[in-house]
Amino acid sequence: MITEEKKEEKSLNFIEEIIEADLQAGKYKEIVTRFPPEPNGYLHIGHASSICLNFGLTKKFPGYTNLRFDDTNPTTEDTEYVESIKNDIRWMGFEWQNELYASDYFDTLYDYAVRLIQMNLAYVDDSTSEEIATLKGTPTEPGKDSPFRDRTIEENLALFEQMKNGDFPDGSHTLRAKIDMAHQNMLMRDPILYRIKHAHHHRTGNKWCIYPMYDFAHGQSDSIENITHSLCTMEFIPHRELYDWLIAKLEIYPSHQYEFARRNLNYTVTSKRKLLQLVQDGHVNGWDDPRMPTISGLRRRGYTPASIREFCDRIGVARRENMIDVGLLEFCVREDLNKTSLRRMVVLDPLKLVITNFPEDLSETCITENNPEDIATGMREILFTKEIFIEREDFMEVPSKKYFRLAPGKMVRLKGAYIIQADSLVKDENGEVTEVHCTYVENSKSGQDTTGINVKGTLHWVSAKHGVPVEVRLYDRLFSVENVGSEEGDFKDYMNPESLHIITGYAEPSLAEAKPGESFQFLRKGYFAADPDGTTEKPVFNRTVTLRDNWAKAGEK
Ligand code: ATP
Ligand code: MG
C-alpha cells in the first residue's frame, strides 16, 4: 500500500528509477546524458522523444546533457542538417552544455584502434565485404576465421597506417576486432571497426580516408565525454555487448548503455532515410512541409514546443515498441492552442448574405472577445456591413430537424453582431444558391440585446466589404495506411494523394498583419498558423488541426 502510494507520487519511468538508484548508491554525484543525432537529415517526432528524455533527465536530476553530432559517416552528412538540428532543439526549449562532434575524436579513436592492435585485439582484413559476410555464419551456425586473422601485430600496425595514409582503395581493407567468430552474438564475430572511404567530411575535410564504424565511435565518444547514462533505442540491445567489450579492453571511462523503445507515429514514417526520399523525389515541399513529421514541419504547421513536449511526456518511455496514434499529438496541440491562440473569424467556403434592412454605406463596429479562455487578451472590433459572407454549410434550403443554423424563415445569431432571419434566396441557372437575403433584428446586437429572442445557432461571418482573401492550406494525413512500415513494396505507394488541399477564404482584415508562425483559432473551423509564404496582400495560413477529431468520426461511420 505504502509503496504503491510512493510510486504514484514520484511516478518515475524505468530509466529515472535506474538513475535515482545510482545517485542514492553514490555511484555518481551528477549524471551526464547526451543527445546524439547523426546530421544526415532533419529531426522528426521520434527524435523529439529522445530529446525530451535526455534533456528532461538532467532537468530532474543533477547533471547536464551534451549535444553530440554522430558524424562518422562522411557521405550522408551536411552542415545544413547540423544547423537545423540545433535550431530544432532550442525551439523545443532545451539547451545543451557542450556542442560536440564525434569527428573531433577521430585522432583519439585512431589511437584507440592502434592500442587494440597492440593488444592483439584487432587486425587488418583484406577480405571483401562479400567474403566477410560469407564467413560470418548465421545465428545458428558459427562463422569461420578470416585467412588474415593471424597477422602479426607489426604487420597489422603497418597495414593500418597504410590504410590511414590512403594507400588503399575503398573496400579493399577493414580493421576488425579480434573477438570470436563463433560467438552467439553475431555482432561479436570480429566486428568491423574501421573502413576505407575516400570521401570529403563536412568538418574534417580530406584529412581522413578511414572512418570508424558506429560501434567503434559511439561508446568511445560516450566514454570520452564521461557520459554516465547513454540512452538509445531497443535495436541497439545486441550492440551493448560490444559497447562494453570495447570500453573494458580499452580501459576507458565506463559509460553504460540503456535502451528504450523507438516511438512510431501512425499514418507517417519516422525514418530520416525515408523522409529524405520524400524531399528528394518532390513528394513534399521540403523538410519543413507542414505535412512532414519533422520538428520543422510541425513548427510550420503551427505546433507549439509545449504541445510536443506534452505529447512526449504523455507517451513516456517504454521498453516495448508500439505505434502512437497521431490523434494524441493533435489532442496535445489543441489543448495548448485553445489556451493561447487568439480567435478570429474566417469563412472558408463563402456564401453571400444581403441584410436587406441594413443601410448600404454603414460599417457598424461590433465588439467581440479575442480569447474567452484568457480574458487578459481583451476585445477586438469587427465591422458589420450590409453584405457579409457565412460558411456555405451554415445554410440549408430544406433543413433537417436538428439543423440549428440558417434556413429560410429561421433565425441565427451572427457572432458578436445581430440576430438575423433568412427571407429569400437567389439561385443561379444550376439551381445553386448564390445569395441569401436576410433581415436583421433591431436591438439584438450582442451585449445589448433587449429582444429576448433565443436562438440556438451562432455563426461566424466576415464583412464582404472589409474581408480579405487568404490562402488556406488544409492538410490531411501524408499516408493513407496506419502502419506504413508494415506494408509491402515501396512505402511511397501508400501516400495519401489528398494530403494537401488549397482554398481561398475570407478573413477579418487584421489577419493580413499576422506574422509567420502566429497561431489563431478560426472560429468553429480549427487552429491555423500563418505561413512564411504569406504576404500582406496574400496571407497564407496552414491548418494545424481541426477543432475536433473529424477523422475518428469518419472512421466510425
Ligand atoms: P533515423 O532512422 O530516423 O535516422 P536514427 O536513430 O538513425 O533514426 P539518429 O540521428 O541516429 O537517428 O538518432 C538520434 C537519437 O534519437 C538516437 O539516440 C536515437 O535512438 C533517437 N531516436 C531516433 N528515432 C527515434 C524514435 N523514432 N523514437 C525514439 N528515439 C529515436
Ligand atoms: Mg542513425
Side-chain angles (χ1 to χ4, degrees):
M1 190 69 189
I2 288 165
T3 42
E4 256 186 37
E5 260 174 33
K6 260 193 167 170
K7 256 197 163 158
E8 175 101 4
E9 193 182 292
K10 289 189 199 154
S11 78
L12 296 182
N13 65 46
F14 77 95
I15 288 172
E16 292 168 340
E17 278 175 6
I18 292 168
I19 290 173
E20 192 171 73
D22 284 349
L23 289 169
Q24 272 177 6
K27 204 166 157 190
Y28 310 105
K29 281 206 182 62
E30 60 171 18
I31 60 160
V32 186
T33 62
R34 85 288 171 265
F35 175 63
E38 189 182 345
N40 60 350
Y42 281 60
L43 297 180
H44 53 62
I45 187 70
H47 293 112
S49 267
S50 178
I51 291 170
C52 289
L53 175 61
N54 280 295
F55 286 91
L57 286 171
T58 54
K59 278 198 166 170
K60 199 161 198 161
F61 299 105
Y64 61 85
T65 302
N66 285 341
L67 168 60
R68 183 201 317 139
F69 290 101
D70 223 333
D71 58 349
T72 53
N73 186 5
T75 47
T76 54
E77 294 156 5
D78 203 315
T79 32
E80 176 198 344
Y81 299 137
V82 168
E83 291 311 313
S84 78
I85 289 169
K86 283 161 52 175
N87 186 34
D88 286 350
I89 298 172
R90 288 208 171 105
W91 178 76
M92 292 257 309
F94 297 107
E95 189 62 52
W96 49 90
Q97 179 91 359
N98 304 295
E99 177 183 331
L100 302 162
Y101 294 81
S103 57
D104 286 344
Y105 310 139
F106 281 168
D107 285 292
T108 309
L109 294 173
Y110 182 80
D111 292 343
Y112 285 168
V114 169
R115 224 194 280 175
L116 287 177
I117 298 173
Q118 284 165 340
M119 289 188 282
N120 199 19
L121 291 173
Y123 61 98
V124 173
D125 196 337
D126 303 357
S127 310
T128 63
S129 54
E130 293 76 31
E131 285 160 349
I132 291 178
T134 318
L135 293 178
K136 193 118 206 191
T138 66
T140 51
E141 266 175 73
K144 292 197 186 75
D145 285 1
S146 155
F148 305 96
R149 198 173 197 264
D150 293 322
R151 280 181 158 147
T152 63
I153 292 173
E154 290 66 36
E155 201 183 344
N156 280 317
L157 286 171
L159 283 168
F160 188 50
E161 191 165 351
Q162 280 186 283
M163 278 171 67
K164 178 183 100 159
N165 291 342
D167 294 349
F168 303 126
D170 286 6
S172 62
H173 298 72
T174 53
L175 182 75
R176 299 178 69 179
K178 195 186 276 191
I179 306 179
D180 178 3
M181 286 307 290
H183 204 287
Q184 281 186 12
N185 181 347
M186 298 272 289
L187 290 172
M188 296 294 275
R189 294 182 188 173
D190 291 9
I192 297 173
L193 304 180
Y194 265 94
R195 67 205 189 293
I196 301 172
K197 209 166 210 176
H198 291 267
H200 183 89
H201 185 279
H202 76 111
R203 294 191 90 234
T204 58
N206 295 323
K207 179 175 174 192
W208 295 91
C209 62
I210 55 170
Y211 290 95
M213 301 297 285
Y214 172 86
D215 283 317
F216 193 64
H218 199 87
Q220 287 52 53
S221 302
D222 285 343
S223 191
I224 292 166
E225 295 172 17
N226 287 8
I227 301 297
T228 57
H229 298 78
S230 171
L231 311 176
C232 61
T233 41
M234 302 296 271
E235 68 271 25
F236 289 98
I237 290 177
H239 295 250
R240 196 197 316 135
E241 204 168 4
L242 179 55
Y243 183 102
D244 291 341
W245 186 90
L246 287 165
I247 284 179
K249 297 299 177 195
L250 291 166
E251 296 184 50
I252 51 179
Y253 180 84
S255 299
H256 290 279
Q257 174 183 306
Y258 301 90
E259 306 86 12
F260 64 98
R262 186 169 272 272
R263 292 312 198 176
N264 304 308
L265 203 60
N266 59 7
Y267 298 104
T268 192
V269 289
T270 44
S271 145
K272 279 180 286 184
R273 192 177 50 78
K274 288 182 179 163
L275 295 172
L276 177 65
Q277 276 187 56
L278 298 183
V279 174
Q280 282 179 338
D281 299 354
H283 293 282
V284 293
N285 303 315
W287 285 97
D288 69 344
D289 186 304
R291 291 168 291 180
M292 291 280 270
T294 51
I295 294 180
S296 49
L298 291 167
R299 173 169 58 235
R300 187 162 177 184
R301 175 91 170 239
Y303 274 78
T304 57
S307 65
I308 297 177
R309 289 196 305 263
E310 175 67 18
F311 169 75
C312 294
D313 230 43
R314 279 174 181 261
I315 61 178
V317 287
R319 278 200 174 97
R320 199 173 326 150
E321 278 218 10
N322 61 349
M323 183 69 85
I324 314 284
D325 188 352
V326 64
L328 179 62
L329 184 61
E330 293 173 347
F331 170 83
C332 292
V333 75
R334 245 181 233 122
E335 291 272 288
D336 191 36
L337 291 176
N338 181 41
K339 286 181 279 179
T340 57
S341 67
L342 299 181
R343 274 52 172 171
R344 292 292 180 262
M345 294 202 280
V346 180
V347 172
L348 300 181
D349 181 16
L351 171 66
K352 189 185 267 186
L353 303 190
V354 181
I355 316 294
T356 49
N357 60 342
F358 197 82
E360 189 86 41
D361 303 323
L362 183 61
S363 293
E364 188 178 342
T365 302
C366 299
I367 307 278
T368 188
E369 68 271 16
N370 275 321
N371 182 358
E373 300 287 324
D374 179 7
I375 38 173
T377 56
M379 309 291 281
R380 72 183 188 286
E381 292 182 352
I382 42 178
L383 295 173
F384 187 71
T385 50
K386 187 180 183 75
E387 294 192 346
I388 63 165
F389 293 124
I390 64 164
E391 224 53 77
R392 186 162 285 276
E393 64 176 16
D394 285 337
F395 175 80
M396 238 177 149
E397 189 178 354
V398 186
S400 55
K401 222 175 168 190
K402 292 221 164 139
Y403 191 81
F404 299 123
R405 291 173 267 169
L406 197 62
K410 294 271 169 70
M411 286 184 176
V412 291
R413 170 166 302 282
L414 295 174
K415 174 72 183 169
Y418 291 99
I419 292 174
I420 57 163
Q421 173 173 317
D423 303 319
S424 60
L425 317 177
V426 180
K427 292 184 179 178
D428 64 14
E429 61 274 20
N430 303 319
E432 203 178 329
V433 179
T434 53
E435 266 178 27
V436 180
H437 289 191
C438 304
T439 41
Y440 82 99
V441 180
E442 273 180 52
N443 302 319
S444 70
K445 197 170 175 181
S446 285
Q448 309 162 21
D449 186 350
T450 54
T451 62
I453 301 172
N454 243 331
V455 291
K456 280 211 171 108
T458 301
L459 307 183
H460 63 281
W461 56 276
V462 169
S463 154
K465 185 170 170 194
H466 300 285
V468 293
V470 293
E471 177 174 318
V472 181
R473 299 177 182 169
L474 305 173
Y475 300 104
D476 204 339
R477 313 236 147 127
L478 193 50
F479 288 86
S480 36
V481 293
E482 181 163 13
N483 189 346
V484 184
S486 73
E487 301 290 340
E488 276 178 23
D490 187 353
F491 76 100
K492 295 192 290 307
D493 294 344
Y494 299 93
M495 293 193 76
N496 175 8
E498 310 281 325
S499 61
L500 170 63
H501 190 53
I502 298 178
I503 58 173
T504 299
Y506 285 87
E508 287 181 35
S510 70
L511 283 177
E513 310 303 325
K515 289 185 271 311
E518 222 179 329
S519 280
F520 301 91
Q521 186 195 93
F522 289 1
L523 236 54
R524 301 174 64 230
K525 286 285 141 193
Y527 296 97
F528 294 75
D531 190 88
D533 284 350
T535 59
T536 315
E537 289 72 45
K538 189 72 194 272
V540 176
F541 288 91
N542 297 312
R543 183 170 66 196
T544 311
V545 69
T546 54
L547 284 185
R548 274 176 290 273
D549 188 353
N550 292 331
W551 184 277
K553 266 195 235 139
E556 278 165 23
K557 275 178 201 161

